[in-house]
Amino acid sequence: IYANAGSAEENVWEKIRKALADKSLEVKRAAARVLAERKDTEALPELRKLLKAKGEERRIAIDAIGAITGSSPEWTKELLG
């Protein structure tokens, strides 16, 4: 995943977004990190699905969404429920 982080090709980013659903926590973490660094708003729906998880998956989603959206009032409201 990290090796592809510099790619400009959309099909690469689609695969990285799909990696958020991988069984491996490390794969999810890596995907979320590079998507957050890119501020990839197209990843937000998949990241929001991870918010429903517990533990580390939820933490990964919170960190990535926060990096993508910043401290927007909408994100704060969504996070606090």
Side-chain angles (χ1 to χ4, degrees), residues 51-68:
L51 284 176
K52 297 174 185 169
K54 297 186 191 258
E56 191 62 22
E57 286 183 346
R58 182 172 168 79
R59 178 83 249 160
I60 290 167
I62 289 169
D63 290 344
I65 294 170
I68 293 168

Side-chain angles (χ1 to χ4, degrees), residues 65-81:
I65 294 170
I68 293 168
T69 64
S71 57
S72 72
E74 295 84 11
W75 166 234
T76 304
K77 184 177 180 180
E78 180 181 351
L79 184 58
L80 297 175

Side-chain angles (χ1 to χ4, degrees), residues 7 35 38 49:
S7 177
L35 292 164
R38 185 178 191 233
K49 289 179 186 176

Side-chain angles (χ1 to χ4, degrees), residues 1 4 7 10-11 27 33 37 41 43-44 59 63 68 70:
I1 290 175
N4 291 308
S7 177
E10 184 56 32
N11 67 330
V27 171
R33 185 172 293 152
E37 288 173 2
T41 57
L44 290 172
R59 178 83 249 160
D63 290 344
I68 293 168

